[in-house]
Amino acid sequence: MAQTLAEKVWDAHVVRRAEGEPDLLYIDMHLTHEVTSPQAFDALRAAGRPVRRTDLTLATEDHNVPTVDIDKPIADPVSRAQIEALRSNTQEFGVPLYPLGSVEQGIVHVVGPQLGITQPGMTIVCGDSHTSTHGAFGALAFGIGTSEVEHVLATQTLPLRPFKTMAITVEGALPPGVGAKDLILAIIAKIGTGGGQGHVIEYRGEAIENLSMEGRMTLCNMSIEAGARAGMIAPDQVTFDYVEGRPHAPEGQQWEDAVSYWKTLATDSDATFDTEVVIDASTLSPFVTWGTNPGQGLPLSASVPSPDDATDENERVAIEQALTYMDLTPGTPLRDISVNTVFVGSCTNGRIEDLRAVAEVLNGRQVAEGIRMLVVPGSARVRLEAHAEGLDQVFLAAGAEWREAGCSMCLGMNPDTLAPGDRSASTSNRNFEGRQGPGGRTHLVSPDVAAATAVLGHLASPADLDPVQ
Amino acid sequence: MEKFVELTGRAAPLRRSNVDTDQIIPAEYLKRITRHGFEDGLFVNWRQDPDFVLNRPEYQGVSILVAGSDFGIGSSREHAVWALQDFGFKVVLSSRFGDIFRGNSGKAGLLTAQVDQSVIERLWQLTEADPSAQIVVNLETQQVICADLTAPFDVDPYVRWRLMEGLDDIGITLRYADEIAQFETRRPAFLPRSH
Ligand code: SF4
């Protein structure tokens, strides 16, 4: 029977299938970090259960870690206790860990791909919703809760109902200056934060094929913001070229075997999806959010909407609540919104290509007076790459702060937070109330828009900038 | 896990849609390494407002939350479920839930009952007009009953069975250890290992 990419990967991992029960699915790789694992390890210990496959489990420290002075003890005692719990748990149970200070440390969704641990056709889980990032390689990758973390540690499987399938076909080419982040923000605005609920989204079409692996990861990363469990892109030559030669990539005959298998994964031409969405790439432009959920976004050229634009009462209330929290007036052009903070980083846009885009805009320019700009690489490796290319010098010369790797201001679990009333342009993925710090206001943007906004002090795209003298 | 068959209790109306897990419990509370005691973080930013529904005296001791659509979207933090449970909630009603939140609830023993938005609207009216109104949530018949309202709710049949029996998921899976071991012998050699 004709199958989609997601269905092929699913079927290849079914350990047990029985009428009326969820499928028991085998998990090829389980990524863990300090925040969602301590209670799971505790429960294992209490039940006297070992970790079934330590060789299919990998831990890193990311959410909680400071991005300055990483050679000193973590100042916040609560954060420190959580990091220490991960260190002692991984040691006790034999799970490999890349701790702060290791060259492989970083945001779990940046680390997996860069190590070559993320490969097409795999099932990958992590106690983190943005595990969807790894779907960019044609893996079925999704976030799980702490009870499921415990389940995977103990059994290397999960009982799951098959997800529904959704195709988002992006036809045509993205206009110059429009990238993966603009595309995904536009998709979420179109289908809504619940639009993908229960589905695995497969992104396909010309615009998707033309994206780099970094762009594909940005896109799949935010599938969760569209309500989906996972996002996937069929593996192709771009994928194979990215994986080849990485530390955990197959070699020799195994590489040949792997690639021939990966080539069978693409959705069959006569397969059908439960839901289909078509987007015309040529109509897109830089996209930003104005509200408090990722679906509340508009083209940068638009204005703040009014509650009167709502189509029903619930939406009217939602717009009103968002405008109040964001302190915005209907009708204000989005370009007139001033920010005092710019954050570049996160598992959405903390990879080398993102940093290059920001450096290109900042080169020869200055961050505007009164603006705090943080540039936080997604991993220690990305940081090293940026150094090798001299990007750090560009950031520092422009007046930005250049930090160590971690989640940082994406969720403000470490000291990098917004103060009440602060307003940020952020390349992260969530503009929820207080996400970047209590009372902080977040506009989600692409790396290009973040950089131009830092220079001008209000939401802007590189096209708004004067040429460098 | 405690068995759940039927609950009778009072409910709090939460007139908000798109309640994400950052609102249910902010990241700051996720630094703890314990499994209980998260009630202080539940909706903590909204609870600064004395008029917030959970601060009002008439809604103290509620065990059911009647929420707007897309409840529990966002992060995978199971702490959101724990915070609701630690506060005393046994059931959340909504017309649509975030997938991961719903999965986590099933594992941890919080019932997420999905009903039509019209049922939510009616329950909001009933519980606002009379905060002492008793609501019955019956998992066996999959019905929610309040005053003259009787409405069916949707729940995954497997989750329903596990909740009604109070079963531990891992225990169930470990019964299939042989099948898991057999599957492992068939996995391709090119798949990566972490060490
Ligand atoms: S960068 Fe942000 S979204 Fe990504 S894993 Fe870290 S906290 Fe989560």
Side-chain angles (χ1 to χ4, degrees):
Chain A
M1 206 183 84
Q3 284 188 308
T4 65
L5 165 64
E7 289 161 344
K8 289 182 190 184
V9 178
W10 183 284
D11 277 5
H13 290 85
V14 174
V15 172
R16 180 178 182 278
R17 179 169 278 168
E19 187 61 30
E21 293 179 31
D23 285 350
L24 191 63
L25 212 65
Y26 199 83
I27 302 303
D28 288 325
M29 189 57 65
H30 182 192
L31 305 169
T32 57
H33 58 85
E34 72 275 17
V35 178
T36 53
S37 67
Q39 295 86 355
F41 281 113
D42 272 354
L44 281 189
R45 199 177 288 113
R49 289 169 175 151
V51 172
R52 182 181 175 91
R53 292 294 299 264
T54 57
D55 60 334
L56 304 183
T57 312
L58 181 69
T60 183
E61 301 169 357
D62 54 8
H63 283 66
N64 235 326
V65 297
T67 55
V68 285
D69 299 333
I70 61 165
D71 51 341
K72 305 208 175 68
I74 298 174
D76 175 354
V78 192
S79 288
R80 192 168 65 228
Q82 196 165 54
I83 297 285
E84 280 166 2
L86 181 71
R87 290 178 186 172
S88 66
N89 284 329
T90 49
Q91 194 178 15
E92 177 185 342
F93 286 90
V95 172
L97 165 72
Y98 293 123
L100 193 59
S102 153
V103 72
E104 302 299 353
Q105 177 269 341
I107 305 172
V108 63
H109 312 308
V110 178
V111 168
Q114 89 188 4
L115 282 171
I117 286 253
T118 301
Q119 296 174 18
M122 293 173 68
T123 46
I124 300 176
V125 298
C126 174
D128 188 280
S129 56
H130 290 99
T131 310
S132 59
T133 312
H134 308 262
F137 292 78
L140 180 62
F142 49 92
I144 56 177
T146 298
S147 294
E148 289 172 310
V149 169
E150 181 193 347
H151 198 118
V152 179
L153 289 172
T155 71
Q156 205 59 36
T157 64
L158 272 181
L160 285 167
R161 299 259 176 216
F163 305 141
K164 286 183 279 186
T165 56
M166 173 186 281
I168 296 187
T169 307
V170 189
E171 290 174 343
L174 290 168
V178 181
K181 184 65 166 286
D182 304 304
L183 173 58
I184 188 64
L185 288 174
I187 288 172
I188 300 163
K190 182 181 167 88
I191 71 173
T193 53
Q197 196 220 24
H199 290 78
V200 177
I201 298 176
E202 181 180 338
Y203 303 95
R204 49 208 318 239
E206 185 192 331
I208 306 299
E209 287 157 25
N210 290 336
L211 286 176
S212 65
M213 280 318 295
E214 279 92 346
R216 294 180 187 187
M217 285 188 256
T218 300
L219 196 63
C220 289
N221 172 274
M222 290 192 69
S223 301
I224 181 74
E225 273 64 53
R229 278 313 293 271
M232 292 177 94
I233 294 172
D236 59 11
Q237 199 57 44
V238 176
T239 323
F240 308 150
D241 291 346
Y242 186 95
V243 174
E244 193 171 13
R246 292 191 180 264
H248 290 262
E251 288 173 10
Q253 187 55 45
Q254 291 202 344
W255 172 257
E256 304 301 326
D257 294 349
V259 172
S260 27
Y261 173 60
W262 297 342
K263 285 182 173 165
T264 67
L265 293 173
T267 292
D268 297 326
S269 55
D270 47 347
T272 52
F273 291 86
D274 296 310
T275 313
E276 297 214 39
V277 176
V278 177
I279 301 224
D280 177 359
S282 67
T283 60
L284 297 176
S285 60
F287 217 86
V288 301
T289 64
W290 53 268
T292 53
N293 75 56
Q296 292 175 321
L298 281 168
L300 178 61
S301 53
S303 300
V304 175
S306 156
D308 302 335
D309 302 341
T311 48
D312 64 49
E313 173 63 12
N314 283 326
E315 194 194 347
R316 195 187 61 74
V317 173
I319 295 178
E320 234 169 47
Q321 284 168 346
L323 292 183
T324 306
Y325 184 84
M326 294 296 289
D327 191 25
L328 291 173
T329 314
T332 310
L334 295 174
R335 276 197 170 84
D336 288 357
I337 298 174
S338 296
V339 305
N340 66 356
T341 307
V342 174
F343 171 64
V344 172
S346 87
C347 58
T348 311
N349 285 123
R351 284 171 287 268
I352 190 69
E353 197 177 86
D354 304 310
L355 300 191
R356 284 185 196 132
V358 171
E360 196 183 311
V361 177
L362 288 187
N363 199 2
R365 296 193 168 97
Q366 285 294 315
V367 173
E369 186 79 22
I371 300 238
R372 178 187 188 206
M373 181 179 197
L374 258 70
V375 184
V376 184
S379 70
R381 283 259 177 234
V382 170
R383 187 175 153 90
L384 288 179
E385 274 180 277
H387 277 268
E389 297 179 20
L391 305 185
D392 56 323
Q393 293 309 316
V394 177
F395 301 139
L396 292 170
E401 297 175 33
W402 170 238
R403 298 298 194 96
E404 304 281 346
C407 294
S408 181
M409 202 183 268
C410 176
L411 89 167
M413 266 186 93
N414 76 348
D416 308 340
T417 53
L418 293 182
D422 278 356
R423 186 183 294 279
S424 78
S426 176
T427 66
S428 56
N429 44 48
R430 288 187 174 143
N431 52 346
F432 298 152
E433 290 180 19
R435 167 82 174 180
Q436 298 189 294
R441 303 178 178 123
T442 303
H443 297 273
L444 300 178
V445 300
S446 71
D448 278 9
V449 169
T453 299
V455 172
L456 290 177
H458 58 82
L459 293 179
S461 78
D464 301 327
L465 297 172
D466 294 332
V468 176
Q469 295 305 310
Chain B
M1 201 160 74
E2 234 176 277
K3 290 187 185 187
F4 184 114
V5 180
E6 187 185 87
L7 172 86
T8 303
R10 290 179 299 114
L14 182 68
R15 277 193 184 263
R16 276 182 177 262
S17 57
N18 277 295
V19 174
D20 56 76
T21 52
D22 278 76
Q23 301 327 312
I24 301 175
I25 188 163
E28 186 60 26
Y29 291 84
L30 274 48
K31 294 182 185 178
R32 299 180 187 169
I33 55 177
T34 48
R35 172 66 175 74
H36 293 286
F38 288 96
E39 64 278 4
D40 54 340
L42 181 71
F43 299 128
V44 66
N45 290 323
W46 295 339
R47 273 161 73 194
Q48 309 299 317
D49 171 6
D51 281 339
F52 180 63
V53 59
L54 294 187
N55 286 336
R56 305 230 296 269
E58 60 273 30
Y59 293 109
Q60 297 312 301
V62 289
S63 54
I64 301 167
L65 186 67
V66 186
S69 68
D70 295 299
F71 186 85
I73 60 169
S75 132
S76 66
R77 58 189 71 165
E78 195 164 315
H79 311 67
V81 176
W82 303 338
L84 286 160
Q85 289 180 313
D86 291 345
F87 192 84
F89 287 111
K90 304 260 191 267
V91 179
V92 183
L93 295 161
S94 173
S95 63
R96 193 159 62 180
F97 293 95
D99 282 325
I100 306 181
F101 173 80
R102 199 163 196 207
N104 289 342
S105 298
K107 306 279 174 190
L110 176 73
L111 174 61
T112 52
Q114 186 169 323
V115 294
D116 283 346
Q117 184 59 29
S118 60
V119 175
I120 296 291
E121 307 276 351
R122 182 79 184 110
L123 287 172
W124 279 343
Q125 289 165 0
L126 286 167
T127 52
E128 279 167 2
D130 176 14
S132 70
Q134 295 286 321
I135 298 184
V136 180
V137 178
N138 188 314
L139 189 51
E140 186 151 26
T141 60
Q142 284 183 239
Q143 278 181 329
V144 48
I145 301 162
C146 181
D148 57 348
L149 172 86
T150 300
F153 64 79
D154 199 49
V155 57
D156 181 278
Y158 186 74
V159 170
R160 171 172 173 264
W161 169 71
R162 273 190 35 255
L163 288 176
M164 289 182 63
E165 300 290 331
L167 291 174
D168 165 18
D169 233 12
I170 298 180
I172 301 174
T173 298
L174 286 174
R175 288 196 220 147
Y176 310 121
D178 289 352
E179 280 153 279
I180 298 172
Q182 246 188 4
F183 182 92
E184 286 174 329
T185 64
R186 302 197 299 268
R187 297 179 70 238
F190 56 73
L191 284 167
R193 289 159 190 265
S194 58
H195 69 99

